[in-house]
Amino acid sequence: MLHNLKKSLFEILIKIDKNVSINFEDVEVETLFDKKGDFTTNAALKFSKIFGKNPNQLADIILKSINLNNFEKVEIAGPGFINFFLKDESFNTQLFNNKKEFTEKEKVNIEFVSANPTGPLHLAHGRGAVVGDILSNLFEYFGHPVTREYYVNNTGNQINEFLSSILYSISHTYNLNLNEKQFYKGDYINDIAKNCYEKFKPLFDNKLSSDEKNNIVNYAIENLVNQTLQTLVTAGIKFDQISYETTIMGKGHLPLILEKFKQKDLTYEGQLNAPKDFTGTLKDNQLTIFKSTLFEDDEDRALTKNDGTPTYFANDIAYHEDKFQRGFNKLINIWGADHLGYLKRLSSAITSLHPKIDFSVVFCQIVNLKRDNKIQKLSKREGNIFELKNLIDEIGIDNFRYFMSYRKNDTHMDLDIDLIKRENKENPIYYIQYSYARTQSILNKVNKVVDTPVTITSELKNLYKKLLEWDNVVKSAYLKKEVHLIAHYLESLSSYFHTLWSSSKNKPSVKFLDNENNISYNIIKLLHNYQNVLDEGLKILGIKPKLKM
RNA sequence: GCGCUUGUAGCUCAGUAGGAUAGAGCACCAGAUUCCUAAUCUGGGGGCCGCAGGUUCGAUUCCUGCCAAGCGCGCCA
């Protein structure tokens, strides 16, 4: 219906003046839920300038060309809006969703979570995990083959510190004299240390070689990554591809990349300002530096370190090159807000290698945990990290997924544990599930489907219209990569359903079932349509509908 | 200091590729249940859309400046 209306408006507009060109996508038709009408368009306002007419004049011209078949009336209102009032009988016949046309077939790679393999997942990872998974579902809804990818940074100082911390724990627990420093603390380190000790017990009789240390830390990382993936599985999140930084490095992309940069004159050998706390001398070593200031970055960025090894940035470029070589041209990364400053250098490096690549980043802002109406201060340093696993156990998968996705991803958000645990309207997911259970209870009672006329009330009209918006909502969420739009729509849709349901208290004639539990053909079609939209929406959110509550 | 993100009702937040009287939930007040699930519904009060300029028929939305909060600003990852 919305599409047809848009189409007929477009056809009218292009006939008015052949010298004026208009984009079909620029014609807007919106749904109204008040006395002003059922649908509206701002076309006359929007296009008045290019037609050189005033808005009311243009609206008048459009109005005269409109086919009135389905409409009770069409009127010009306010500064030049055209409002459409649908005939009652058209609600049952015209207001159903268009079949989706899946034209998207492009492979998409969505990389998310990618937590450092030195500790368990905590709250902040949860948002990225849910947003990434839902975004993947959304891309699949539109037909894309999606690869959900997880990257493990298993090189660098953090790994040495991780190993050192494990050996420190072993040394402490088993009274060995390993002479190691403690960097990471917590029960999880002691648990992993215990596992490592049991696995590699004989090795500790002698001094550990660097190969042996390597085996120990690799085992520890594998352990931790598996735990992490297991936690995510309890939240319904499964990855198709786990990529290890060391594996990617072994493929040898980096030298070729550096050569290409050199040919494009995007690098130079030189020095940057001394890093924080640096006490040595810089002058002897030249670094390879990427000219990211050419791409509006604040500073040029080092690709190699003082000791000649590649920086994290360099390896990350190689990693994205690897994704490209695996056949992905559309790359989406989900990052925490602490990586905002990293975007320019990486995207400029990638697009300078592959100008046509479609690389984008979805940022997830900080999540605060609220309990007893107080923001909980969480910090690694204080050792009071709230593990993600505990959160999921406490609130359940449905709540976890819904609440992590119902706020716009780039705004700060408070996760109110007490509110989430309430099972009423304050908790939208219960509200949505309850509406589904109500429709199912009707369907369970149906005796016969009969062809009786339906009383068209304003509550019924509103539900029809709201259902019609689904196609636009899901498409908009997809185009903008904003998953919260789905959650908000479902909540709002449920509200229209509950309102319709309750309206029968005062008007028994609008009950879904008659006295013999018969249901009219149009109503059962409506209920199925309602369930269908909730099914699709909840599936994207990764939440199972409840048939009974 | 620089960059990014944010600032909308008492609270938590939607809405902005410029459009009509800025929305929802909570909280507060008043109501609805012999009747398909009251985990629900109906009504009410409550807003210089951070501040000040600019662009135009029209700005919460775009531009500039300022104020406030968060994050980032290594040859860490």
Side-chain angles (χ1 to χ4, degrees), chain A residues 3 104 131 181 219 226 303 314 324 343 414 473 501 538 543:
Chain A
H3 185 82
E104 309 286 357
V131 168
K181 280 188 190 161
Y219 177 73
N226 285 340
L303 292 165
F324 179 79
L343 175 61
D414 294 334
V473 169
W501 177 287
L538 289 173
I543 296 172

Side-chain angles (χ1 to χ4, degrees), chain A residues 2 14 17 23 131 196 221 242 326 383 467-468 514 539 545:
Chain A
L2 286 175
I14 54 174
D17 186 339
N23 253 329
V131 168
C196 289
I221 288 170
I242 314 293
R326 279 185 273 139
L467 282 166
L468 199 64
D514 67 16
K539 191 177 172 197

Side-chain angles (χ1 to χ4, degrees), chain A residues 89-183:
Chain A
E89 57 265 34
S90 299
F91 278 89
N92 294 325
T93 56
Q94 300 294 316
L95 294 195
F96 284 93
N97 291 40
N98 295 320
K99 269 193 182 158
K100 298 182 297 261
E101 288 173 30
F102 295 121
T103 51
E104 309 286 357
K105 289 192 181 121
E106 193 186 7
K107 275 171 71 178
V108 184
N109 183 291
I110 304 186
E111 184 214 324
F112 55 108
V113 190
S114 297
N116 284 335
T118 53
L121 293 179
H122 50 268
L123 189 62
H125 296 118
R127 191 177 194 177
V130 171
V131 168
D133 192 49
I134 294 177
L135 204 58
S136 302
N137 291 340
L138 194 52
F139 272 75
E140 282 172 344
Y141 180 89
F142 281 96
H144 292 278
V146 175
T147 295
R148 292 164 171 79
E149 182 147 342
Y150 188 107
Y151 184 48
V152 183
N153 297 117
N154 59 340
T155 66
N157 282 338
Q158 56 173 355
I159 300 303
N160 296 333
E161 293 179 357
F162 183 50
L163 172 65
S164 183
S165 306
I166 289 167
L167 295 178
Y168 174 91
S169 170
I170 290 174
S171 181
H172 203 254
T173 310
Y174 300 98
N175 234 347
L176 306 171
N177 204 358
L178 296 179
N179 195 20
E180 295 283 350
K181 280 188 190 161
Q182 184 182 36
F183 296 91

Side-chain angles (χ1 to χ4, degrees), chain A residues 27-28 78 88 98 138 161 174 183 193 197 235 245 284 321 384 398 410 423 443 488 518:
Chain A
V27 181
E28 292 176 54
D88 278 359
N98 295 320
L138 194 52
E161 293 179 357
Y174 300 98
F183 296 91
Y197 182 74
E245 188 174 2
D284 297 336
E321 172 67 26
N384 59 348
D398 290 2
D410 60 2
E423 302 192 351
L443 293 174
H488 277 274
N518 293 333

Side-chain angles (χ1 to χ4, degrees), chain A residues 53 225 470 546:
Chain A
K53 301 183 190 305
V225 169
W470 169 239
K546 289 196 165 79

Side-chain angles (χ1 to χ4, degrees), chain A residues 135 139 330 332 360 362 409 476-483:
Chain A
L135 204 58
F139 272 75
K330 195 174 181 67
I332 301 173
S360 61
V362 172
N409 49 280
S476 165
Y478 163 72
L479 292 174
K480 294 157 104 173
K481 303 191 186 88
E482 290 182 358
V483 301

